[in-house]
Amino acid sequence: MSNVTAITAPTQSVEANGIRFTYRRWGKPGGLPLVFNQHFTGSLDNWDPAVLDGLAREREVIIFNNAGVASYTGEVPKTFEGMAANAEAFIDALGLKQIDLLGFSIGGMVAQQIVLDRPDLVRRLILVGTAPRNHDAGGGEGHITPETAAIFGAMYDPPENLWLKVFFTDSERSQAAGREFLTRYLSRTENRDSPVNETVAPAQISAVGAWGAHSGERFAYLKTIKQPTLIVSGNHDVIVYTVNSLHLAQNMPNAKLILYPDANHGSWYENHEDFVFEANRFLNA
Amino acid sequence: MSNVTAITAPTQSVEANGIRFTYRRWGKPGGLPLVFNQHFTGSLDNWDPAVLDGLAREREVIIFNNAGVASYTGEVPKTFEGMAANAEAFIDALGLKQIDLLGFSIGGMVAQQIVLDRPDLVRRLILVGTAPRNHDAGGGEGHITPETAAIFGAMYDPPENLWLKVFFTDSERSQAAGREFLTRYLSRTENRDSPVNETVAPAQISAVGAWGAHSGERFAYLKTIKQPTLIVSGNHDVIVYTVNSLHLAQNMPNAKLILYPDANHGSWYENHEDFVFEANRFLNA
């Protein structure tokens, strides 16, 4: 095992589907790697290093920018089907025949699509703060919750304080956890990822709309996701409403759900020690 | 540590409030004991020995018949407030100043009331397959779900097959887990508890009705339960609907929720190894 961490892992790249994907890969080799699918407008640097390195102690972790995001400057597809196809090309380009898969927020929607497309590729699935097709978004336009629109539409000084509102509740305890997260988030000071450009958010928002407006029988497709799955959410997620995690757990054949108290969209960052313990235990089972 | 188990633990008794309570107590001494509150019409013998002994490896466990149930032949109160007052008298009679508390189904309603009455008595709380006041019961009469009325109203041969319907889903996997549970349930062959008499069910049903019809602001009282709490349910609980566990987790200040897949009211018996691990970890934290 090397001394590489989330702070020092080099940014690498690989070409597939005519796309040059940037990624970082580190951790304990030998088993299946865990591939992470990122949230709205997130780059390689937006993952919580505490979660990444906690999981990397027991397996290889792979984080990557899907097409068009941050250090790749191409085009972001307007559907999760398109993003999943690109993610699959990236995974294939690394020569991986089987992986464990994690998706956070819209990354969880991409992850569901990957499993639907390529069930044999994925051994175990972790879905954090995400939702099925035809999800509950409180009547928000384009299947975006009203709170999401308000929070991402506001200005923050410094800008990273956005994540205090996206990921944490307004309680004193949760905001304190949020400030600790921001310190970790900023702790990689060298070779940070490029910023995302202005084309990323609109395309990702379009994908959420297409996902939420799906015409099929509500939740029927979830019955076909047979992978052992760990679903995690905060008990007060205002970005992707908590009830969507209940929908997932009630309609997937083999999914255990964990909800954290006094927690918003970043429940797993707020409770990173417990999450790392639970996720390592789940993946090692 | 002794060799006593759920199968061999002697039935003892203690008098308090003019009531003679029967109970069994065993396990690893030294820390806080865990006191169990039983489900509808359950006696000392209805707990899953796998769960009891799994928890007894790391602490003392205490199971008891509340007033009027099974080996005590007095009167069952028609409210959970009344049952909680009797439970508190029992706990006091054992000389316990602080305990961890577990409640299953209607026992979880009693446990909530004990915490409300005596917050300093309870360090940590485990609520399995239960509901808050003003719970969702699918419009069933007297706040009993339609499935509960149908399942408890049917005849079974042998009679203990009732629990296959109450605790497990109809899937092949869950029913197989149910048959294993029945074997464990029947494995204590000597000094079993007395049967419950015909006065128990009507009084306990009255208590559910009074609990569900509570006139206060929905769920407001849950904010006052500050104990670290572990909430556990099946993803398809038809006896106490799963959504009630979401209500608990969303309205209690410090509650972690775990939902098990393909699981009904007996989710913790079906997943006893995982439950014992999670519960021991929670209680030892």
Side-chain angles (χ1 to χ4, degrees), chain A residues 235-236 242-243 246 249-262 273-274 277-278 281, chain B residues 235-236 242-243 246 249-262 273-274 277-278 281:
Chain A
N235 69 337
H236 292 294
T242 304
V243 71
L246 185 65
Q250 292 198 299
N251 291 282
M252 297 177 76
N254 193 7
K256 178 178 174 177
L257 169 66
I258 295 177
L259 286 193
Y260 286 111
D262 185 24
E273 289 183 1
D274 194 82
F277 182 91
E278 294 277 14
R281 179 168 169 259
Chain B
N235 69 337
H236 292 294
T242 305
V243 72
L246 185 65
Q250 292 198 300
N251 291 281
M252 296 176 76
N254 193 6
K256 178 178 175 178
L257 168 65
I258 294 177
L259 286 194
Y260 286 111
D262 185 25
E273 289 183 1
D274 193 82
F277 182 92
E278 294 278 14
R281 180 168 168 259

Side-chain angles (χ1 to χ4, degrees), chain B residues 87-224:
Chain B
E88 293 155 23
F90 164 71
I91 293 161
D92 291 340
L94 294 183
L96 301 168
K97 301 303 178 201
Q98 197 179 34
I99 58 170
D100 291 328
L101 189 64
L102 182 149
F104 177 28
S105 193
I106 64 168
M109 300 169 185
V110 176
Q112 289 171 65
Q113 187 62 49
I114 293 171
V115 175
L116 293 171
D117 292 342
R118 299 278 297 277
D120 294 340
L121 180 62
V122 180
R123 185 187 62 161
R124 285 179 171 249
L125 179 62
I126 300 179
L127 297 175
V128 183
T130 192
R133 291 176 182 162
N134 295 316
H135 54 281
D136 284 327
E141 196 174 343
H143 303 272
I144 304 286
T145 69
E147 294 91 336
T148 301
I151 289 171
F152 279 94
M155 300 291 287
Y156 300 88
D157 180 21
E160 61 266 24
N161 282 3
L162 165 67
W163 304 114
L164 294 177
K165 291 294 288 181
V166 171
F167 287 156
F168 300 89
T169 75
D170 290 336
S171 81
E172 195 176 323
R173 202 195 60 78
S174 189
Q175 285 294 304
R179 288 186 295 272
E180 290 174 18
F181 163 73
L182 285 186
T183 301
R184 297 194 298 274
Y185 161 65
L186 295 171
S187 61
R188 182 179 174 113
T189 53
E190 292 181 20
N191 301 310
R192 283 184 75 86
D193 203 357
S194 315
V196 298
N197 69 36
E198 70 283 356
T199 69
V200 172
Q204 291 182 334
I205 287 171
S206 293
V208 174
W211 180 258
H214 189 258
S215 61
E217 183 196 338
R218 199 178 193 205
F219 308 144
Y221 76 99
L222 290 174
K223 292 183 177 45
T224 68

Side-chain angles (χ1 to χ4, degrees), chain A residues 89-147:
Chain A
F90 164 72
I91 294 161
D92 291 340
L94 294 183
L96 300 169
K97 301 303 177 201
Q98 198 180 34
I99 58 170
D100 291 328
L101 189 65
L102 182 149
F104 177 27
S105 194
I106 64 167
M109 300 169 185
V110 176
Q112 289 171 64
Q113 188 63 49
I114 294 171
V115 174
L116 293 171
D117 292 342
R118 300 276 299 274
D120 294 341
L121 180 63
V122 180
R123 185 187 63 161
R124 285 177 172 251
L125 179 64
I126 301 179
L127 297 175
V128 184
T130 193
R133 290 175 182 164
N134 296 315
H135 54 280
D136 284 329
E141 197 175 342
H143 303 274
I144 303 285
T145 70
E147 293 92 335

Side-chain angles (χ1 to χ4, degrees), chain A residues 75-242:
Chain A
E75 197 170 344
V76 180
K78 291 188 169 59
T79 64
F80 293 126
E81 288 88 341
M83 296 180 202
N86 288 332
E88 293 155 24
F90 164 72
I91 294 161
D92 291 340
L94 294 183
L96 300 169
K97 301 303 177 201
Q98 198 180 34
I99 58 170
D100 291 328
L101 189 65
L102 182 149
F104 177 27
S105 194
I106 64 167
M109 300 169 185
V110 176
Q112 289 171 64
Q113 188 63 49
I114 294 171
V115 174
L116 293 171
D117 292 342
R118 300 276 299 274
D120 294 341
L121 180 63
V122 180
R123 185 187 63 161
R124 285 177 172 251
L125 179 64
I126 301 179
L127 297 175
V128 184
T130 193
R133 290 175 182 164
N134 296 315
H135 54 280
D136 284 329
E141 197 175 342
H143 303 274
I144 303 285
T145 70
E147 293 92 335
T148 302
I151 290 171
F152 278 94
M155 301 290 287
Y156 301 89
D157 180 22
E160 62 267 23
N161 282 1
L162 164 67
W163 304 113
L164 295 178
K165 292 293 288 181
V166 171
F167 287 156
F168 300 89
T169 75
D170 290 337
S171 81
E172 194 175 323
R173 201 195 60 77
S174 189
Q175 285 294 306
R179 289 187 294 273
E180 291 175 17
F181 163 74
L182 285 186
T183 301
R184 297 193 299 273
Y185 161 65
L186 295 170
S187 60
R188 182 180 174 113
T189 52
E190 293 180 19
N191 301 309
R192 283 184 75 85
D193 203 355
S194 316
V196 298
N197 69 35
E198 70 283 357
T199 68
V200 172
Q204 291 182 335
I205 287 172
S206 293
V208 174
W211 181 258
H214 189 259
S215 61
E217 184 196 336
R218 198 178 193 204
F219 308 145
Y221 75 97
L222 290 173
K223 292 181 178 47
T224 69
I225 301 184
K226 299 190 191 303
Q227 279 77 2
T229 301
L230 180 65
I231 301 168
V232 174
S233 175
N235 69 337
H236 292 294
D237 191 328
V238 300
I239 305 298
V240 177
Y241 288 157
T242 304

